[in-house]
Amino acid sequence: MEPASNGFPPYGISAVVKFGGSLMRNLETCRTVLAGLEHVRSAGHRILVVPGGGLPDKVIEAVDAAHPLAAFTAHHACALAQDQTGYMITDPAFSSNLAACSTLGECRLLIKEGKIPVLLPSRILFALDPVEWSWDITSDSIAAWVAWLTNTEKLAILTDVDGVYRNGRTDQPAALMSEVASDELARLGHTSIDACAAHFMAERGLSGAVLNGAFPQRLGDWLEGRKVTGTLIRNPSQREQPVQTGRGAA
């Protein structure tokens, strides 16, 4: 990433972390993931969380399947669903050091205070209108956009599977892709990360990883350059760096 210019101080974010809505299907797993994020923060990593739509988003999808919604309605409702997930995961019932915020200025202050900001994206999305009103755009794309907007070098997509699988075969461990260039990932279409996010990462030169949030130690290991089970998404200009998968990895 380019260094901050004079008069434009950096946000000081080590990594943008997309908290997948699928991680809320089991609330105990959700609590484990959030405790893991707090541990990562205590180790010195300054993370910004972008929540997925989670449970509220599933209701919107069900309504749309039965009675197709206008693009305006679906887009705005889904953005607000991300906000609702953000409010829930920052509640004391689930976490003690995560805090909801609606602006990047608030994120900056919370990071300085040693907290984990959880960005409620609707306010920024409605004000800037940066993405298409389409079901093809998910919270993965929003997280990638936030990483680019804040000049953050690392993007982690936390979901309920170990990474990106060839042909979507999540039931076959051997199909797990340990590493893929963002442009190649974009050509695969929608996987465990949405295709628009992959395209955006390729166009903006972003790199990152898709990790299973149920094993929160993997995020810390990845941030510290250790080998983990997961899928490393690299900028096509980067030299390949093997990532260990299977036995022996966390």
Side-chain angles (χ1 to χ4, degrees), residues 9 14 59 68 76 79 85 87 92 116 121 123 162 166 176 181 206 208 229 239 245:
S14 303
V59 175
H76 288 74
T85 298
Y87 278 121
I116 301 173
R123 181 173 172 181
D162 284 340
R166 295 178 182 86
L176 178 64
L206 298 173
T229 296
R239 298 181 62 182
T245 62

Side-chain angles (χ1 to χ4, degrees), residues 68-240:
L69 301 171
F72 174 92
T73 304
H75 172 72
H76 288 74
C78 288
L80 291 168
Q82 287 186 251
D83 286 8
Q84 292 181 67
T85 298
Y87 278 121
M88 285 189 282
I89 64 176
T90 56
D91 188 87
F94 290 100
S95 60
S96 60
N97 203 39
L98 278 72
C101 56
S102 298
T103 70
L104 294 177
E106 290 177 279
C107 291
R108 194 199 306 269
L109 290 175
L110 288 168
I111 288 172
K112 288 181 178 179
E113 294 172 0
K115 294 187 177 296
I116 301 173
V118 177
L119 181 65
L120 311 178
S122 68
R123 181 173 172 181
I124 293 176
L125 292 176
F126 297 166
L128 300 182
D129 197 26
V131 300
E132 290 182 0
W133 299 354
S134 166
W135 287 106
D136 292 332
I137 295 288
T138 75
S139 49
D140 293 342
S141 295
I142 303 306
W145 177 72
V146 170
W148 170 76
L149 185 66
T150 57
N151 202 31
T152 302
E153 293 186 353
K154 295 183 176 181
L155 169 65
I157 305 292
L158 299 188
T159 184
D160 62 346
V161 294
D162 284 340
V164 177
Y165 290 76
R166 295 178 182 86
N167 300 317
R169 296 306 304 269
T170 57
D171 59 331
Q172 296 184 358
L176 178 64
M177 303 175 70
S178 63
E179 182 173 325
V180 62
S182 53
D183 55 349
E184 179 184 349
L185 180 60
R187 289 192 291 271
L188 293 178
H190 187 83
T191 58
S192 46
I193 176 174
D194 81 60
C196 290
H199 278 289
F200 186 85
M201 293 179 72
E203 291 172 356
R204 297 298 193 275
L206 298 173
S207 59
V210 180
L211 303 169
N212 192 328
F215 301 90
Q217 72 274 15
R218 294 179 184 177
L219 175 62
D221 287 343
W222 173 68
L223 288 172
E224 293 171 10
R226 291 191 286 271
K227 296 178 179 180
V228 297
T229 296
T231 299
L232 178 68
I233 305 171
R234 58 180 172 82
N235 183 329
S237 65
Q238 294 175 327
R239 298 181 62 182
E240 293 192 8

